[in-house]
Every structure is written in structure tokens, then in C-alpha cells.
Amino acid sequence: MKIGILTSGGDCAGMNPAIKMFIETCFNRKITPYLIYDGLEGLIDNKIKKAKRLDASGLIYRGGTILRSSRSARFYDHAYRQIAFENLQKKGIKKLIVLGGDGSFRALNQFYTDFGIDFIGIPSTIDNDIYGTEYCLGVDTALNVIRQAIDDIRDTVASFRRAFIIETMGRECGYLALVSALTCGAEVCIIPELEFDLPSIEKRLKKELKEGRTYAIAITAEGSTISEKLNAWFETTIGLESRITKLGHIQRGGNPTVFDRLMAAEFVLFALNRLGENSQNHHIIVYTKGAFAFMTIDETNNHRYTISPSLLKMGEELCR
Ligand code: F6P
């Protein structure tokens, strides 16, 4: 059996340990592993290479993806998918593992519908915004990168009488911002999922400032597009000099945490077990309540991810 692996969309820590697990397990099970470089673009451009066992070495501790990634516009076009299919066909590859987000899974689902190429998707995005799974690969590492950055920024924040707005990634989802705010002791958190009440936050902060507070930290999610407005609000309404730090792509870097290395291994094993036994795979792996399961792309596409109610409940205190 021949199976290819590719990484697509935003990279994240955990992808390299997953590639390592894939190569080694394939060799142990007498499956021929193929590495597909540059994501879906590489499928079209035939950047497909038979893996050697040694390709797995030195990957476990590295962030990013040695396979590189892309966001492919060409793959939406049937003519390019046809080329991609022919590239796979020439090598006899009928099954794929793809690490990516929901956009990548939708593209692969179309590829499956067109040509019957089996695939299993491993949810991999620091945004943690894929319906059906409580965990996406890379999230724990990103949260720890953010935690380190906030702890560091706090040193300078606390040395002045200032407010600091720290913006996390999360195109449409406030998960990173919310968990970071809760675990890093922020005074304010603004995310798209929660309504906020500035007059009420003003009352709370002014009371605390009167009682001796000297600084405040606000965490915002990229998707809430409010950082600049909040910065001005701190200066004019609260009367604290204010600065913004947008953490940006630093959040996608860093050595994978132990949890992400372990999750990478578990996701890959679960995918290989299924690809080895069944055909007609067009599923993603979901991780809920401590267990792994499969979900069809249709099911995940037809629903929207929501942050758990208990986390949102805790977050409400930071929005008012
Ligand atoms: O991978 C998800 C993500 O990091 C989002 O949080 C962010 O909005 C986006 O990707 C950035 O994408 P790019 O790397 O293409 O700028």
C-alpha cells in the first residue's frame, strides 16, 4: 500500500512530529510512505517523493513543517485537480493523510468526490476552530508561546502605570485569546464570541485603580478587530497610557510541546489504522472527551465550531 502525507494551510507545531510518526509507522507496517511538499500546490506540481526512513530523523522537536505548506487557489479548479490526480495515479498513491484546517479538508473532499482518492484529515490549526473536535494539533504549543510572551510583557507593563493590549491570532475564533486571558491573569478579554460592555469595564477598572491597581492587561482576538479602538479607550476614558502588542506569526512557531508531540503521534496512528483497514475515507479525526473518532467532512462543514460554554462563562467576567 502507498500513502502520501501533506501539510496544508497555516502551519503549526506538531506537524513535524506527525510526519515523523507517519514515516516510521509506515516502514514498520510495510506501507510505502510518500512525502508531498508545498501542500495542495505540490500535488499539482508533482512535488511528491518516496520517503526514506532517515527522513524521520531530527523532526520531533521542530516547529513548522518540513513539507512546507500553501493556501492553493489553483486546487479549486477541476483542471488542476485532474493534474494532481494524474500525478498520484502515476505513482500508484490512492490514500492521503492531510494535516490542515477546514478549507484544506473541503478541498480534499472535492478531490475525493472527483477521483475517489481516500483521505483522512488531521485537524491542525492554532485557531482551534474546527467543528467536532475539542483539540486541533498545535494549539497547546501556541498557547504556551502566548503565555511566555504575556509573562514577559507583564514585566514591562508592571514597571509603568500603563495599559497593554495584547492581540492574539484567531481569524474568526477567540479561543486562543480567551484561554490566554484566563490563564495569564488579564483584566479584560475581547473576543468575537462574547458581547462586551465598555462602560461596565470602565467602572470596574476605575474602582480598582482607585484601590491601588497600577496597570491593566487586555487580551484581544485578531477576529474582534478592536485593538486600536481599545487602545484609544484606555488612554481617553480610563486615563492610562496604553500600548498594543500584536503577537502575530510568532504564535505559529516554537518547539512542539510534549502534549502536541503526543497528540501528533495519536492522530497519525489513528489515521493509519483506518486507512489500512478501510477504503472510502473522506473523514477527519475528532478528539472529544479524551477519545478519538471519525467525522465526515460534510458533518463538520455543516456546523460551526463553538467554544465550550464553561470557558465562555468564565470569560464573561472579563468582558464587563
Ligand atoms: O493558521 C491560522 C492563522 O494563523 C490565523 O490565526 C491567522 O488569521 C491566519 O492563519 C494568518 O494566515 P497567513 O499565515 O496566511 O498570514
Side-chain angles (χ1 to χ4, degrees):
M1 192 194 306
K2 295 175 175 181
I3 303 182
I5 189 167
L6 64 124
T7 50
S8 178
D11 59 284
C12 65
M15 285 179 162
N16 277 332
I19 296 162
K20 172 190 165 68
M21 190 64 175
F22 167 75
I23 297 170
E24 288 175 345
T25 310
C26 283
F27 275 102
N28 293 343
R29 295 184 183 181
K30 311 226 172 338
I31 296 167
T32 311
Y34 279 84
L35 305 178
I36 299 160
Y37 290 84
D38 293 336
L40 298 172
E41 287 286 289
L43 267 185
I44 298 167
D45 296 332
N46 203 18
K47 294 185 182 163
I48 306 169
K49 190 193 100 180
K50 197 193 276 188
K52 298 194 212 66
R53 202 178 243 276
L54 258 186
D55 288 325
S57 85
L59 297 188
I60 194 77
Y61 71 99
R62 285 174 65 184
T65 161
I66 55 139
L67 296 182
R68 299 186 299 275
S69 189
S70 61
R71 302 190 195 275
S72 174
R74 288 192 296 167
F75 208 79
Y76 287 105
D77 184 335
H78 185 274
Y80 284 110
R81 291 199 298 276
Q82 177 75 39
I83 296 171
F85 170 64
E86 285 164 14
N87 289 336
L88 289 175
Q89 212 182 22
K90 275 182 218 141
K91 293 192 164 59
I93 304 168
K94 297 200 179 88
K95 293 168 190 258
L96 298 174
I97 291 179
V98 55
L99 290 98
D102 46 8
S104 310
F105 300 147
R106 270 195 296 276
L108 263 296
N109 203 38
Q110 188 57 52
F111 198 49
Y112 168 83
T113 310
D114 293 342
F115 306 106
I117 294 289
D118 271 21
F119 79 97
I120 296 292
I122 296 179
S124 311
T125 165
I126 66 164
D127 288 4
N128 208 35
D129 62 349
I130 298 178
Y131 175 82
T133 188
E134 286 166 10
Y135 191 75
C136 296
L137 197 61
V139 172
D140 188 58
T141 306
L143 285 172
N144 277 289
V145 168
I146 298 168
R147 179 202 46 74
Q148 184 64 56
I150 297 175
D151 289 353
D152 289 348
I153 289 171
R154 187 185 286 275
D155 289 342
T156 172
V157 183
S159 304
F160 276 81
R161 189 180 159 78
R162 269 182 181 169
F164 243 86
I165 290 130
I166 302 167
E167 183 181 294
T168 71
M169 271 190 166
R171 204 191 324 244
E172 286 163 12
C173 180
Y175 183 87
L176 287 179
L178 176 57
V179 173
S180 300
L182 292 171
T183 55
C184 297
E187 279 65 50
V188 178
C189 176
I190 308 285
I191 58 171
E193 291 84 348
L194 285 173
E195 271 182 35
F196 59 92
D197 180 350
L198 285 184
S200 157
I201 299 174
E202 178 187 343
K203 220 164 125 199
R204 168 163 63 88
L205 288 181
K206 281 190 170 161
K207 179 171 176 286
E208 289 181 17
L209 285 164
K210 221 180 202 171
E211 288 165 359
R213 166 174 294 289
T214 54
Y215 68 90
I217 293 179
I219 312 286
T220 58
E222 176 190 9
S224 61
T225 62
I226 194 159
S227 301
E228 280 74 16
K229 188 179 161 201
L230 202 60
N231 192 51
W233 178 83
F234 266 113
E235 298 220 333
T236 54
T237 309
I238 302 299
L240 279 180
E241 190 182 17
S242 183
R243 296 283 187 271
I244 307 177
T245 296
K246 295 189 182 186
L247 295 178
H249 285 77
I250 197 172
Q251 297 160 92
R252 291 232 296 257
N255 297 353
T257 57
V258 168
F259 187 66
D260 272 325
R261 295 179 198 198
L262 198 57
M263 288 302 280
E266 299 232 47
F267 272 127
V268 166
L269 278 184
F270 206 65
L272 281 174
N273 289 347
R274 169 98 177 198
L275 286 172
E277 287 164 10
N278 295 290
S279 54
Q280 303 202 335
N281 294 298
H282 50 116
H283 296 76
I284 65 163
I285 303 177
V286 291
Y287 179 76
T288 38
K289 299 189 174 52
F292 294 89
F294 292 100
M295 184 176 275
T296 63
I297 305 297
D298 288 339
E299 196 176 349
T300 184
N301 277 349
N302 289 336
H303 297 86
R304 204 179 151 78
Y305 171 82
T306 49
I307 298 174
S308 84
S310 61
L311 279 180
L312 288 173
K313 188 92 204 126
M314 285 192 271
E316 280 172 10
E317 302 302 323
L318 303 177
C319 301
R320 61 187 182 211

